[in-house]
Amino acid sequence: MAIARSAYRRYKVIDSVLRNEFRRYPTIEEIQTACYNALDLKPSLDTLEKDFRNMKLPEPDGYDAPIAYCRQNRGYHYKDPNFSINEVSLSYKDVDSIKEALEILQSIGSSRVSESFNYALNKILVSYKEEFPDGNSMRKIIETESISGSRGFEHFEILFLACKNKTPLSFTHYSYQKRRFKSVIVHPVLLKEFDNFWYLLGYSEGHNALRTFGFDRIYEPMLLNRKFIPTSADIVNNYYKDIYGVYPIENQPKQEIVFFTSTIVSNYFEAYPIHGSQTSKKNDGGCVFKLQLVPSVELLKLFRSYGSELIVLEPKWLIKELKN
């Protein structure tokens, strides 16, 4: 059973008081006062007695804390003076479970998380190997797509922190289409991965609107000491809700998109739907699909990738765009 956050905060105070070498055998009233000083909340004596019982419970419900009352000194103490809830020993089963979870994170996250996070994972795994040298390392059984050395990913940490701490950014953006560099100021809100590429979503002062910037086109990002312009959480949550990809086609609203695919290709679309709004209907020699989406650059690329096996039926402007 999970330990409530409020209870855990009291456990931390109780633990620190019982480990205080300068004031041994504290009374329950002294522990109560310590909780009030640390948490600005005075727990009842009954609550503290219940905390003692819960801390003494075996794992995973408690900490196996050796709390005892000394009648001679009229106070509480740890039977083991070296005990602390912050230094609970791990069993081989505990370590195996943690290693399994960490190695899954490493398999899934390798190039998708910051270098410091990967370093922290490796540090934890190394410490466990030192503590349990006979432990068997797991063979890799999960492989995800990742491209090492992709341009712009070295800025992951500063972009992540800018989003987390709501700090405006200044960087140089390169446009592949216009083949030129431009300085922009962005108030970042979200990092998004799509098709193994990373993007930054934020309010652009130059565009006076939300814009998406590919990591590979961001150069020399710099945190700015200026007022952050927030974007409503509802707007952010809905920005990518009705789009396949990250770059919506300018001036095109959400609309119905209808396309026909051959029988073979239809199997892929049925197994991996493009969007939650996708519906399908079997037809002679194939299948007709319908989507309610904001058209995007990525959607056009996807349609083109299937060549003559996929034919757009609606809307007409999209048919013309694909022909061009």
Side-chain angles (χ1 to χ4, degrees), residues 166-221:
K166 297 182 179 180
T167 306
L169 277 170
S170 172
F171 56 81
T172 302
H173 179 260
Y174 180 72
S175 172
Y176 290 145
Q177 187 175 8
K178 297 179 181 179
R179 296 185 180 180
R180 69 182 184 188
F181 290 93
K182 183 179 181 181
S183 179
V184 296
I185 295 177
V186 176
H187 300 257
V189 293
L190 181 72
L191 301 183
K192 180 178 176 64
E193 183 189 19
F194 177 78
D195 199 21
N196 206 38
F197 290 93
W198 279 90
Y199 302 88
L200 170 70
L201 174 68
Y203 173 81
S204 169
E205 290 190 7
H207 298 92
N208 194 29
L210 280 178
R211 282 292 185 271
T212 300
F213 302 91
F215 275 25
D216 57 311
R217 279 156 272 188
I218 294 176
Y219 292 82
E220 300 178 347

Side-chain angles (χ1 to χ4, degrees), residues 107-300:
S107 297
I108 296 175
S110 57
S111 71
R112 292 170 163 76
V113 295
S114 68
E115 184 177 346
S116 61
F117 182 70
N118 267 321
Y119 175 76
L121 290 182
N122 287 324
K123 190 175 180 181
I124 293 172
L125 287 174
V126 168
S127 67
Y128 286 148
K129 289 175 182 177
E130 289 177 352
E131 184 177 354
F132 297 92
D134 296 330
N136 295 322
S137 60
M138 294 176 58
R139 65 184 178 87
K140 191 172 183 179
I141 57 175
I142 298 177
E143 180 70 46
T144 59
E145 182 183 6
S146 62
I147 302 174
S148 60
S150 57
R151 185 194 299 169
F153 196 78
E154 66 272 16
H155 305 314
F156 182 96
E157 190 150 2
I158 187 173
L159 299 179
F160 172 80
L161 291 175
C163 291
K164 178 183 177 182
N165 299 327
K166 297 182 179 180
T167 306
L169 277 170
S170 172
F171 56 81
T172 302
H173 179 260
Y174 180 72
S175 172
Y176 290 145
Q177 187 175 8
K178 297 179 181 179
R179 296 185 180 180
R180 69 182 184 188
F181 290 93
K182 183 179 181 181
S183 179
V184 296
I185 295 177
V186 176
H187 300 257
V189 293
L190 181 72
L191 301 183
K192 180 178 176 64
E193 183 189 19
F194 177 78
D195 199 21
N196 206 38
F197 290 93
W198 279 90
Y199 302 88
L200 170 70
L201 174 68
Y203 173 81
S204 169
E205 290 190 7
H207 298 92
N208 194 29
L210 280 178
R211 282 292 185 271
T212 300
F213 302 91
F215 275 25
D216 57 311
R217 279 156 272 188
I218 294 176
Y219 292 82
E220 300 178 347
M222 182 184 302
L223 300 176
L224 300 178
N225 184 19
R226 60 193 294 169
K227 185 178 180 181
F228 183 81
I229 301 176
T231 302
S232 168
D234 291 337
I235 295 176
V236 175
N237 293 335
N238 291 325
Y239 190 80
Y240 291 123
K241 182 179 179 182
D242 294 319
I243 183 174
Y244 172 82
V246 293
Y247 290 118
I249 296 177
E250 194 171 356
N251 299 323
Q252 286 296 336
K254 179 180 177 180
Q255 56 195 275
E256 184 175 71
I257 299 173
V258 185
F259 61 96
F260 170 84
T261 65
S262 65
T263 302
I264 295 177
V265 172
S266 66
N267 291 330
Y268 292 104
F269 280 95
E270 289 178 338
Y272 301 99
I274 293 178
H275 187 255
S277 65
Q278 178 176 306
T279 61
S280 61
K281 184 177 180 180
K282 296 291 185 181
N283 202 334
D284 293 337
C287 189
V288 174
F289 293 91
K290 291 184 180 181
L291 299 167
Q292 295 292 332
L293 278 182
V294 175
S296 65
V297 173
E298 290 80 9
L299 186 65
L300 266 65

Side-chain angles (χ1 to χ4, degrees), residues 59-72:
E59 298 177 0
D61 297 320
Y63 296 95
D64 275 326
I67 300 175
Y69 181 78
C70 178
R71 295 183 180 277
Q72 181 179 352

